[in-house]
């Protein structure tokens, strides 16, 4: 009888201990950087039912089913990359639209701490449904979209993207309002000598109440951008590829720097008035000969992004975290770089449910190791730049589930 009583007591102790495990995952001792909530220090993060349950100090390990020790590591919201091309497919001569040049997101996001991407204009209103079925519905990464003002999307720089008759503000806005995954309108690669197509993109965005992202097409001779930046675009609209050109001959478009190597005054003025300047690194849109003098003059990005595609994935860009590391070595603090990769892009795309670790938010989270030493970075022209800081992704959570674990810090030992 005594043995039976002791067995019962032991059993109840186990039951009570299990019931006391209030959280699914507990991340202990990490340096949490959460710009929205102004958290910048050592904290614990508890996760339950795919949501952030608590961010505070000294949460008991016994309260969680799984404990991840993040001592010495950086814990942030999952990164948000607002410029990529993910309409992957097998059609020839379609540039980034259902083509070989675009990439499935999951192979390039989680390993870089990215949990949300925005496709920058690969689909248009004519083929968005195909994109949704092919990419959005099949990806573990959260996929959002800047829909192209061109109905055929980004499917031919020298042909379809120059077709002004296929630029429909009405249809673009209608599809955008019907699909919550669409968070903006994109105009890209237009080479004409008028601002009409850009005004069409703004018109569609005004109807749908979303921002515009502009990727300049390179009119030759170049158009002065003061009109576009100060008169056509609105506060909250986005100019991507901010370090992509200069006055020295990299393309016909007006570059960031004038002939004297100075950032154009109207670029500063536009940023001060609320225009968003985005990195958009890509395979040909980030030059150290532009970025170094521009940052030295205080011209930094509001948002950091990759312009991920087959032409950038193995070149100077590599991945989102490599671009974030570049910007840190160009003068942004760790906190500023994380802000420009999490909370700021969430605000820009009007998805303020993302980019933070507030209680009740979906548990998209990344853990990074900040290495210090000697590192090299490459730009779009093949030029090198030496730096002393580099981030590496240790672990990524998407909706409370471990989707990347570099060194097994979220796994049990095999023994």
């Amino acid at each position: 009888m005594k043995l039976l009583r002791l067995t019962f007591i032991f059993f109840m102790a186990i039951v009570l201990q299990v019931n006391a495990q209030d959280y699914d995952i507990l991340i202990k001792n990490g340096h949490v950087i959460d710009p929205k909530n102004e958290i910048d220090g050592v904290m614990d993060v508890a996760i339950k039912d795919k949501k952030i349950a608590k961010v505070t100090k000294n949460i008991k390990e016994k309260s969680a089913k799984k404990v991840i020790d993040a001592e010495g590591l950086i814990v942030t919201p999952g990164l948000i990359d607002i410029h990529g091309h993910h309409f992957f497919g097998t059609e020839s001569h379609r540039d980034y639209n259902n083509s070989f040049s675009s990439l499935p997101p999951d192979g390039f996001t989680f390993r870089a701490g990215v949990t949300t991407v925005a496709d920058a204009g690969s689909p248009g209103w004519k083929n968005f449904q195909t994109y949704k079925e092919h990419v959005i519905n099949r990806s573990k990464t959260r996929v959002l979209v800047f829909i192209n003002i061109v109905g055929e999307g980004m499917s031919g720089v020298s042909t379809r993207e120059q077709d002004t008759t296929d630029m429909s503000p009405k249809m673009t806005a209608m599809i955008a309002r019907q699909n919550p995954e669409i968070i903006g309108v994109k105009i890209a690669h237009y080479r004409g000598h008028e601002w009409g197509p850009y005004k069409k993109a703004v018109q569609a965005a005004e109807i749908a109440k979303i921002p515009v992202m502009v990727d300049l097409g390179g009119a030759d001779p170049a158009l002065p951008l003061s009109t576009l930046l100060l008169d056509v675009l609105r506060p909250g609209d986005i100019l991507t590829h901010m370090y992509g050109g200069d006055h020295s001959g990299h393309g016909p478009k007006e570059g960031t720097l004038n002939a004297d190597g100075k950032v154009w005054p109207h670029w500063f003025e536009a940023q001060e008035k609320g225009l968003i300047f985005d990195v958009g690194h890509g395979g040909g849109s980030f030059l150290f000969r532009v970025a170094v003098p521009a940052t030295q003059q205080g011209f930094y990005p509001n948002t950091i992004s990759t312009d991920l595609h087959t032409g950038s994935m193995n070149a100077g860009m590599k991945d989102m975290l490599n671009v974030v590391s570049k910007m840190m070595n160009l003068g942004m603090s760790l906190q500023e770089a994380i802000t420009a990769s999490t909370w700021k892009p969430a605000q820009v795309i009007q998805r303020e449910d993302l980019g933070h670790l507030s209680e009740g938010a979906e548990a998209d989270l990344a853990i990074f190791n900040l290495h210090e030493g000697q590192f090299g970075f490459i730009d779009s022209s093949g030029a090198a730049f030496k730096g002393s800081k580099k981030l590496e992704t240790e672990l990524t959570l998407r909706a409370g589930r471990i989707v990347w674990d570099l060194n097994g810090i979220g796994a049990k030992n095999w023994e």
Side-chain angles (χ1 to χ4, degrees), residues 91-136:
E91 292 190 31
S92 301
H93 311 297
R94 294 286 295 184
D95 286 357
Y96 300 106
N97 187 287
N98 203 12
S99 74
F100 300 101
S101 297
S102 290
L103 293 166
D106 291 349
F108 301 86
T109 50
F110 300 141
R111 63 189 57 225
V114 175
T115 53
T116 299
V117 296
D119 192 302
S122 304
W125 66 265
K126 290 182 178 178
N127 44 40
F128 175 76
Q129 194 59 40
T130 299
Y131 183 94
K132 185 171 182 177
E133 294 171 0
H134 188 55
V135 181
I136 295 174

Side-chain angles (χ1 to χ4, degrees), residues 117-379:
V117 296
D119 192 302
S122 304
W125 66 265
K126 290 182 178 178
N127 44 40
F128 175 76
Q129 194 59 40
T130 299
Y131 183 94
K132 185 171 182 177
E133 294 171 0
H134 188 55
V135 181
I136 295 174
N137 295 347
R138 296 175 182 270
S139 299
K140 294 178 182 178
T141 308
R142 180 186 293 102
V143 179
L144 307 173
V145 178
F146 286 88
I147 190 170
N148 206 304
I149 189 63
V150 179
E152 286 286 346
M154 204 172 286
S155 58
V157 172
S158 60
T159 54
R160 299 179 187 92
E161 289 180 70
Q162 309 308 313
D163 184 1
T164 58
T165 65
D166 198 28
M167 299 178 181
S168 172
K170 179 180 179 181
M171 293 303 299
T172 302
M174 183 182 74
I175 296 299
R177 294 178 72 174
Q178 291 174 351
N179 295 275
E181 300 93 346
I182 296 176
I183 45 77
V185 177
K186 177 76 181 292
I187 177 166
H189 306 154
Y190 182 67
R191 295 172 176 171
H193 280 83
E194 66 280 346
W195 298 122
Y198 298 88
K199 292 178 180 178
K200 286 185 177 182
V202 171
Q203 183 183 348
E206 286 183 340
I207 296 170
K209 295 181 173 56
I210 50 181
V212 170
M213 177 183 281
V214 171
D215 173 354
L216 298 171
D220 191 3
L223 287 165
L225 294 188
S226 57
T227 300
L228 175 67
L229 300 183
L230 300 176
D231 299 332
V232 177
L233 298 178
R234 312 156 299 165
D237 289 339
I238 307 151
L239 181 71
T240 193
H241 302 321
M242 64 182 291
Y243 300 128
D246 59 8
H247 200 76
S248 64
H250 180 74
K253 63 187 178 183
E254 175 192 297
T256 311
L257 307 178
N258 62 24
D260 297 322
K262 302 295 184 182
V263 177
W264 291 95
H266 52 267
W267 287 55
F268 277 116
E269 183 181 353
Q271 192 176 50
E272 289 169 2
K273 289 185 175 181
L275 198 72
I276 304 300
F277 285 85
D278 174 62
V279 173
H281 190 299
S285 299
F286 185 98
L287 302 170
F288 283 125
R289 70 173 185 260
V290 176
V292 171
T295 52
Q296 288 174 344
Q297 295 168 49
F299 189 58
Y300 284 97
N302 301 100
T303 57
I304 297 173
S305 70
T306 62
D307 186 16
L308 175 70
H309 50 74
T310 57
S312 65
M313 65 181 187
N314 292 324
M317 190 282 293
K318 295 181 175 61
D319 61 28
M320 180 69 166
L321 207 56
N322 191 58
V323 182
V324 172
S325 297
K326 280 184 183 179
M327 294 313 306
M328 289 172 58
N329 284 285
L330 286 168
M332 295 183 80
S333 68
L334 172 63
Q335 290 76 8
E336 288 169 338
I338 295 302
T339 300
S341 309
T342 57
W343 178 230
K344 186 61 179 181
Q347 292 175 293
V348 168
I349 63 174
Q350 301 175 6
R351 286 295 304 267
E352 295 190 9
D353 57 313
L354 307 177
H356 55 84
L357 301 176
S358 304
E359 291 185 13
E362 192 157 55
D364 289 358
L365 180 148
I367 302 177
F368 301 118
N369 200 332
L370 177 58
H371 298 293
E372 295 188 2
Q374 295 183 342
F375 307 101
F377 300 91
I378 305 169
D379 73 5

